[in-house]
């Protein structure tokens, strides 16, 4: 467990708060994600950095034979999710250090924007070492240059990520869906696409 990262998120999402409510556009996701999963025959996925995940209540994954597992580094957020949604499988999980569950796809929505580059790379290496075949995550379409930062407990870290630019240099995704924000998309890559890239990333 990355204790530095855990502390930052515990400060953000303490035991007295569920954190900021999910934007309304999140509630448009379930049908879009479900269609994508059915298209690519996804039977299970891990929601890495699940936060309160209000949008899950609108899902029809289980009815379509798709297993959902959520995970978050904040113990208070995991406790909140387990109380609010006892039917969901929620893990206390650090996306940078803990092995991913055995699923078809790793889902990361607006999580890596809060990680410094070295932890982003640890996440990617974690995906590489998992059994997951696909990675679905947020990519900024703002055309901004990728920046790095250091963690500071006095403020919550955030920087938009364009995976097609240095130092990541990802290939074109195999599929994508609109995330409703207007300036980013959820993009889908295969493990075969990313492993050669992950192996040569230099920070």
């Amino acid at each position: 467990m990355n204790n530095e990262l855990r502390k930052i998120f515990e400060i953000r999402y303490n035991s007295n708060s569920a954190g900021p409510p999910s934007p309304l556009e999140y509630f448009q996701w379930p049908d879009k994600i479900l269609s994508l999963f059915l298209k690519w025959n996804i039977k299970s996925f891990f929601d890495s950095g699940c936060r309160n995940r209000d949008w899950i209540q609108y899902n029809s994954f289980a009815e379509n034979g798709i297993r959902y597992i959520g995970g978050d580094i904040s113990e208070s957020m995991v406790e909140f999710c387990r109380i609010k949604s006892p039917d969901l499988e929620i893990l206390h999980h650090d996306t940078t250090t803990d092995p991913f569950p055995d699923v078809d796809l790793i889902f990361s929505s607006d999580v890596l924007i809060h990680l410094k580059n070295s932890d982003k790379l640890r996440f990617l290496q974690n995906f590489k070492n998992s059994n997951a075949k696909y990675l679905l995550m947020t990519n900024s379409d703002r055309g901004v240059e990728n920046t790095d930062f250091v963690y500071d407990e006095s403020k919550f870290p955030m920087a938009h990520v364009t995976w097609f630019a240095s130092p990541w240099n990802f290939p074109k995704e195999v599929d994508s869906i609109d995330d409703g924000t207007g300036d980013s998309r959820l993009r889908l890559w295969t493990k075969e696409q990313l492993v050669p890239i992950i192996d040569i990333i230099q920070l």
Side-chain angles (χ1 to χ4, degrees):
M1 185 70 66
N2 185 329
N3 287 324
E4 182 183 29
L5 196 59
R6 179 191 59 78
K7 188 172 184 179
I8 289 172
F9 277 86
E10 285 294 358
I11 292 172
R12 177 71 168 179
Y13 308 130
N14 60 64
S15 58
N16 297 315
S17 172
S22 299
L24 291 178
E25 59 263 20
Y26 282 25
F27 300 155
Q28 303 172 23
W29 287 5
D31 288 343
K32 295 179 181 179
I33 294 178
L34 176 60
S35 296
L36 187 77
F37 287 179
L38 293 175
K39 176 181 177 180
W40 290 91
N41 196 32
I42 304 300
K43 298 298 184 183
S44 58
F45 73 106
F46 180 62
D47 186 2
S48 181
C50 67
R51 206 180 58 137
N52 58 22
R53 280 306 177 244
D54 295 344
W55 62 274
I56 289 299
Q57 64 184 298
Y58 299 93
N59 85 84
S60 55
F61 297 126
E63 293 87 337
N64 284 273
I66 299 172
R67 181 187 180 194
Y68 171 90
I69 307 174
D72 202 278
I73 196 171
S74 166
E75 291 181 270
S76 58
M77 185 56 65
V78 170
E79 181 182 3
F80 173 86
C81 289
R82 287 173 174 171
I83 292 172
K84 182 179 180 182
S85 305
D87 56 323
L88 294 181
E89 186 174 355
I90 308 293
L91 309 177
H92 184 216
H93 184 275
D94 181 349
T95 194
T96 69
T97 63
D98 300 337
F100 286 127
D102 190 4
V103 293
D104 293 334
L105 178 143
I106 305 300
F107 176 51
S108 178
S109 165
D110 286 333
V111 174
L112 299 180
I113 59 176
H114 303 301
L115 305 188
K116 62 184 180 181
N117 283 354
S118 59
D119 280 338
K120 289 184 181 73
L121 182 55
R122 290 186 182 97
F123 168 90
L124 294 174
Q125 291 169 336
N126 200 9
F127 166 69
K128 171 190 168 184
N129 293 327
S130 74
N131 290 326
K133 301 175 184 177
Y134 301 96
L135 177 60
L136 178 65
M137 60 181 179
T138 308
N139 180 81
S140 173
D141 292 344
R142 296 184 178 193
V144 297
E145 182 177 345
N146 290 319
T147 58
D148 201 2
F149 49 76
V150 296
Y151 295 136
D152 180 348
E153 292 179 12
S154 67
K155 58 183 179 181
F156 195 53
M158 203 281 278
H160 292 284
V161 185
T162 301
W163 294 105
F164 303 114
S166 179
W168 314 112
N169 301 309
F170 277 21
K172 181 176 174 55
E173 76 279 4
V174 295
D175 214 332
S176 70
I177 57 175
D178 180 11
D179 70 358
T181 64
D183 57 13
S184 62
R185 292 183 71 84
L186 288 166
R187 299 184 185 270
L188 179 70
W189 288 274
T190 68
K191 177 168 283 184
E192 288 77 8
Q193 284 183 294
L194 295 187
V195 166
I197 301 298
I198 294 170
D199 284 339
I200 62 173
I201 291 173
Q202 294 185 354
L203 302 180

